[in-house]
Amino acid sequence: MTFDLFDPLPADADAPAVDNLGPGAMVLRGFAREAAPALLAGVGEVSAGSHFRHLITPGGLRMSVAMTNCGQRGWVSDRSGYRYDEIDPDSGQPWPSMPRPFLDLAVRAADAAGYAGFAPDACLINRYLPGTRLSLHQDRDELDLRAPIVSVSLGLPAIFLWGGLRRADRPARVRLAHGDVVVWGGPSRLVFHGIAPLAAGDHPLTHGERINLTFRKTR
Ligand code: SIN
Ligand code: FE2
């Protein structure tokens, strides 16, 4: 009797392609894996024009996640509050335009999640290093809450905290791997969410980092 030698199956080989998080909210497993190299090249282009920076919260704290933006408007925070701005306050210039692969991926993911016709005008890019976290928050600075949020995970895996509509709701812990895309809208649009402190690791494409792209329609 002979045995064929198979490569070991990847850890998530039998995981479902879609995980439901709640009404109108799901994880599309591996949806962005193929586009990932082009998306990461886009991150390099965007951050050459508008660099990653640690924003200051209205309360005066420096955020541990580093951020930049592309598209017509970018999300910024400073002592005066949170807002979307058409100008990068650091460069004094408009944000870099949204790379084509970003827009294509976001529109396809929204469509696959049941949100046809998604037209994001902003993409916030988050960069996490080991220990970086993002505390529970709602995405609610957008004027049009009918559009979903599309969130793409690249590089090191993270634990996504998926809470409820009240800050005090105890969050579920959802592992997000390279290429996973979370889409939330409708009744889940204002769910509290965050990222647990990133564990150290080495990813073939991003080495010691996790990159997250979050697409929004801001108005
Ligand atoms: C966010 O809530 O804006 C980012 C979530 C993530 O990094 O996956
Ligand atoms: Fe968010």
Side-chain angles (χ1 to χ4, degrees), residues 124 126 128 134 137 151 160 176 193 195 210 212 214 216:
L124 172 65
N126 293 311
Y128 298 77
L134 187 62
H137 65 279
S151 175
F160 184 53
L176 295 181
H193 60 278
I195 293 287
R210 171 177 186 261
N212 166 259
T214 307
R216 298 104 188 274

